[in-house]
Amino acid sequence: MLENSEIKVSIEKMLIGYDNNGLVFDKGDCVIRRITPIYMKKIEDIYSFYKKNCRNDFGFVETILNTSAQELIHKKYLITYPYEWTANMFKDALLFHLDLFLRLDDYGYILKDAIPTNILFNGTKPVFVDFLSIINQENLKDEKWLFDIDTKRIDPRINIIEKMLVPYFIIPFLTFADHKYEEARFMLKERTCNNIEGIDLHWNDILPPKNLLQKMKEKIFGRKDCNRCGAIKRLIESEKDFKVLCEKLLKCIEEIPVTPENSGYLSYYNSKGEDFSLSDRKAWLPKQKIVCEAIEKFKPKTVLDLGANTGWFSLMAAQMGAHVVAVEIDESCVDNLYLHSKERKLNITPLQLAFEDLEKSYFGARYDDEAYKNRDFGNNPLFEAPVNRLKCDMTLCLALVHHLVLGIGISVAEVMRILAQITMKVLVLEVVTLDDELIVAEKKSKDSSFFRNIEDFSENNYSIDVFIKEGRNYFQNFSVYSSHPDSRKIIVFEK
Ligand SMILES: C[S@@+](CC[C@H](N)C(=O)[O-])C[C@H]1O[C@@H](n2cnc3c(N)ncnc32)[C@H](O)[C@@H]1O
């Protein structure tokens, strides 16, 4: 018995958060929330409300209350963070949150805060996972932090909008809508979602500047047309009825487009003549056939598609029954894949991420705060690295490594080390060799802006043999196939 519980403890991992009524642990196949004894009574009330009224269609995480263990047991979803979502995913998360406010209000309940990190995506469907955020509106008066702002309002529900929804959701959303992706992601990663106080963003961050300092900001951020920001700000400041405010915000936000402008990469498959129908196998080239055969052979439950572009191979894997995580750096491609997958209810979660950031984790600001001492913020990242969260049975890394090695200058050894870390069973790797006409033309043109480190590489440090040699440090078996054209090879590595 003791041994069992010891094993259990050793495989659970604390997930860092700022809630003071419970601690969250990843148990591998589910997530456990240990409730502080003093909060148990309230949780019983909330749980019975949840069971009776909102199990299926509210979008809450599937949950069971284990009263004797003082634990909530949650279904586990892929952990993703708001700064990795595509622009339209972020918009959908905001609309989902406003809709939840309205649904709960009908029953006298509310979410006591409004933070995008409380939402995860099941495929393309937002799921609200922070059970402890649900409270009876009568208990809002106990949330002291809601009353410490200089406001004439008497309805604390509107304070949640001002104190939480504005800095955590609306300001980053308007920044996405302004096509300032890097800035929006920075806000979510380094500021608002990574700060215990949580009010670190202000309307001044996005509204037209008034003084010199702000004028400098305008120069940096290039903001001029902020009519819609001003309109939303005025709406929040003037509307006195919580429900009406949520309804108006919902409508207003629905109408603001966030879809990124088309990038050159958006028409990649079309321009290569590889926008094949998924059902017309006869038309496929060796590349499509080899990947399909690998999926048929290994039957992965989960597939990670790195450098997915608009997701032709993600769509193939999803059609063959896998849960797919599609990672892509290009804002336009990855958002396009999200909208496409959402419309068709596909099991694909697209994420805007760069390969070179797969090992990056971020620690919580002010982790030494007294109130959160037991969470060991110094050793537990607030935002866990993708290599530890996005591991899948099969990784597809197709026509990407030449960007990483010849473009960014990452060594083959380093690329293979990261790929091995994120792959649970099988890696399908397509390598564009130095003989490929694309690479030869690039070298000849003397304009190596695309592959700016190309001069540092030769057959000695960038070839199929080098990839195989490095891969054998981590994988047991491998097979090599010719892709299309023949100067591209596919290596299927098995652990
Ligand atoms: C040549 S396309 C290959 C697309 C797809 N994997 C295939 O084989 O059909 C390379 C893709 O990788 C993306 N990409 C380039 N550098 C990247 C990086 N550092 N991290 C993530 N994606 C990247 C590009 O935006 C592009 O969509």
Side-chain angles (χ1 to χ4, degrees), residues 57-96:
D57 61 344
F58 274 53
F60 284 122
V61 57
E62 269 176 53
T63 298
I64 295 169
L65 175 64
N66 181 344
T67 314
S68 57
Q70 303 197 340
E71 281 178 354
L72 289 166
I73 304 161
H74 301 302
K75 181 170 174 179
K76 189 180 163 188
Y77 293 99
L78 179 78
I79 298 175
T80 61
Y81 301 122
Y83 60 81
E84 300 169 336
W85 300 343
T86 80
N88 272 299
M89 280 168 95
F90 193 81
K91 175 176 176 171
D92 285 345
L94 169 53
L95 292 173
F96 169 68

Side-chain angles (χ1 to χ4, degrees), residues 163-396:
K163 286 200 70 165
M164 306 295 285
L165 198 80
V166 168
Y168 283 90
F169 263 117
I170 292 183
I171 291 179
F173 167 72
L174 291 168
T175 309
F176 271 119
D178 228 4
H179 303 304
K180 308 280 182 209
Y181 306 106
E182 225 176 285
E183 200 185 307
R185 297 185 190 288
F186 171 79
M187 286 175 173
L188 294 164
K189 182 164 51 184
E190 311 269 359
R191 293 183 65 188
T192 192
C193 286
N194 187 0
N195 184 309
I196 293 170
E197 301 287 288
I199 52 168
D200 205 17
L201 278 174
H202 192 269
W203 283 109
N204 282 348
D205 281 321
I206 56 168
L207 277 172
K210 289 184 195 94
N211 58 36
L212 195 63
L213 187 74
Q214 288 169 349
K215 272 201 179 117
M216 283 167 67
K217 267 192 199 161
E218 182 192 31
K219 237 182 157 181
I220 297 164
F221 296 155
R223 288 239 164 62
K224 286 191 185 74
D225 172 22
C226 263
N227 288 345
R228 62 185 172 215
C229 310
I232 292 183
K233 179 174 183 275
R234 280 192 297 280
L235 170 65
I236 292 171
E237 284 169 355
S238 60
E239 182 54 64
K240 293 186 175 58
D241 186 302
F242 174 74
K243 205 167 173 184
V244 174
L245 176 58
C246 287
E247 281 163 354
K248 283 188 180 168
L249 278 174
L250 202 93
K251 201 159 176 289
C252 196
I253 283 155
E254 249 166 7
E255 281 165 13
I256 298 177
V258 287
T259 303
E261 281 161 16
N262 291 358
S263 72
Y265 257 128
L266 193 66
S267 50
Y268 174 72
Y269 290 109
N270 186 283
S271 60
K272 282 190 77 185
E274 291 185 15
D275 50 351
F276 303 114
S277 152
L278 277 170
S279 53
D280 183 14
R281 281 197 192 199
K282 279 202 211 98
W284 293 357
L285 294 166
K287 174 169 174 171
Q288 288 71 25
K289 289 181 184 158
I290 294 162
V291 177
C292 182
E293 280 159 20
I295 297 175
E296 274 169 351
K297 177 174 173 191
F298 296 105
K299 299 185 178 39
K301 288 201 176 77
T302 51
V303 169
L304 175 67
D305 188 4
L306 295 174
N309 194 263
T310 50
W312 197 92
F313 291 93
S314 297
L315 296 167
M316 172 199 267
Q319 185 174 285
M320 295 171 78
H323 289 234
V324 179
V325 183
V327 164
E328 168 59 50
I329 199 169
D330 185 286
E331 293 280 354
S332 164
C333 291
V334 73
D335 197 68
N336 177 280
L337 177 57
Y338 169 68
L339 292 177
H340 182 92
S341 309
K342 180 179 127 178
E343 202 181 310
R344 290 159 184 79
K345 295 189 171 56
L346 301 176
N347 221 326
I348 299 176
T349 305
L351 297 175
Q352 194 280 339
L353 259 174
F355 180 93
E356 52 277 28
D357 290 340
L358 290 178
E359 288 191 299
K360 278 195 192 146
S361 54
Y362 296 87
F363 287 83
R366 296 187 48 199
Y367 57 76
D368 52 350
D369 196 286
E370 254 322 282
Y372 301 99
K373 246 184 170 168
N374 59 348
R375 293 177 201 196
D376 198 8
F377 268 72
N379 288 314
N380 288 321
L382 177 65
F383 300 133
E384 182 63 80
V387 273
N388 299 329
R389 283 180 284 127
L390 310 181
K391 284 181 199 291
C392 284
D393 291 341
M394 178 181 277
T395 303
L396 302 180

Side-chain angles (χ1 to χ4, degrees), residues 265 306-307 327-329 353-358 395-419 427 429-432 439 450-454 456-457 461-462 467:
Y265 257 128
L306 295 174
V327 164
E328 168 59 50
I329 199 169
L353 259 174
F355 180 93
E356 52 277 28
D357 290 340
L358 290 178
T395 303
L396 302 180
C397 183
L398 308 170
L400 175 65
V401 288
H402 57 301
H403 291 279
L404 307 175
V405 180
L406 311 179
I408 304 175
I410 310 174
S411 70
V412 172
E414 193 61 0
V415 167
M416 290 309 293
R417 185 184 62 73
I418 296 170
L419 287 174
L427 166 65
L429 178 72
E430 185 187 35
V431 180
V432 177
I439 311 282
F450 210 51
F451 300 125
R452 52 189 189 284
N453 289 290
I454 200 165
D456 296 341
F457 291 92
N461 54 4
Y462 181 87
F467 277 97

